[in-house]
Amino acid sequence: MSVTLAGCGVVDGIGGSDSKASPTKGDDVKVGLLLPEKENSRYEKFDYPIIKKQVEKLTNGKGEVVYANAEQDAAKQSSQLQRMIDDRVDVLLVDAVDSKAIASGVQSAKDAGIPVIAYDRLAEGPIDAYISFDNELVGEVQGKELVGALGSDSASKKIVMMNGATTDPNAAQFKSGALAELNGKVVIAKTYDTKDWNPVNAKANMEEAIEAVGVGNIAGVYSANDGLAGAVIDALKTAGVSDVPPVTGQDAELDAVQRIVKGDQYMSVYKSYPQEATAAAEMAVAVVQGRSIEFDALTRDKVDSPTNQDIPSQLVPVVALNKSNIEDTVIQDGIYTVKEICAAPYKAACDANGLQ
Ligand code: GAL
């Protein structure tokens, strides 16, 4: 193995001269995977199993993934990270609960010679690489769709903005992408950041917005993800709305896809988790095995974090998901079956949409 790799021009320290990547290894790669929460189904349903399967595939079944989920607790994530350093994983994939709070843990990993790849959210500190979606684009897609849904006189219409958690750097990017599309084209009557991305908090904020703006005056809601969208729609219905105004989302959660079919939610953003997770597994194995050419090919983009510049990155594109393209996105990619989406309460709506 080492002969082959040496022939490929193995370099130590992929990702920068200050990197102390572990020495080149064979297939016995141990990947530490830290995910942030369980509220959103993507993490346990797609990210973890796909990364695990890919690592096994790339290492002839000899590699393994050690997995921990922080359940939205930054302190818990820091101790999970420390445990993985103590366990001597070969590389870390870190999806931070709090991108600033994790920075000292990233530094400890680097000091221990363990390369760190930021997964989905841009962790601060000396990371070797970053893999995520184009998060500005997520916000732009959401904003554009909302403006389109409001029609030609959108500029006089009031919307509420329900953003994500301030501890998640993606949330700031979703917001700035959305504002680029919304500013001047709608009236943003109320705007909120949602602590911990928690739908319970979003519901309370939406109730406050309804009280302040008046339920009949809310022409649409920019909601950063599907969890928040569910809470927003709930609050609107509780306030007596039967014909829900356009509400955006993100993540293509199953219940959101069902709300879209039914007409309660206007759109979501489909992010191909298989694409992101597969690339992350490839990057992790490549960095451990010292395959610099493959690693460079996987990280052609460059991003800056508040602490580091020119981080080798891969940004995966996203698409709007609405009534018209359910089949071409989540069904085609095997995320859900028609049967799952069209469970009993949605059967009639599915029939009406030609989803069978
Ligand atoms: C973001 C992530 C989204 C969603 C959201 C809420 O960082 O990109 O896919 O999971 O957090 O948890």
Side-chain angles (χ1 to χ4, degrees), residues 37 40 42-43 120-121 168 170 174 197 225 251 271:
E37 53 139 316
N40 193 316
R42 59 167 288 183
Y43 300 109
D120 199 79
R121 299 179 183 173
D168 174 358
N170 291 352
F174 303 149
W197 282 103
N225 84 356
D251 287 328
K271 314 200 292 194

Side-chain angles (χ1 to χ4, degrees), residues 269-280:
V269 176
Y270 174 55
K271 314 200 292 194
S272 170
Y273 304 127
Q275 210 179 324
E276 184 187 38
T278 300

Side-chain angles (χ1 to χ4, degrees), residues 117 129-131 278-288 295 298-299 312 314:
I117 299 169
Y130 170 56
I131 163 88
T278 300
E282 286 168 354
M283 281 160 71
V285 173
V287 83
V288 174
F295 183 82
L298 287 162
T299 53
Q314 182 179 147

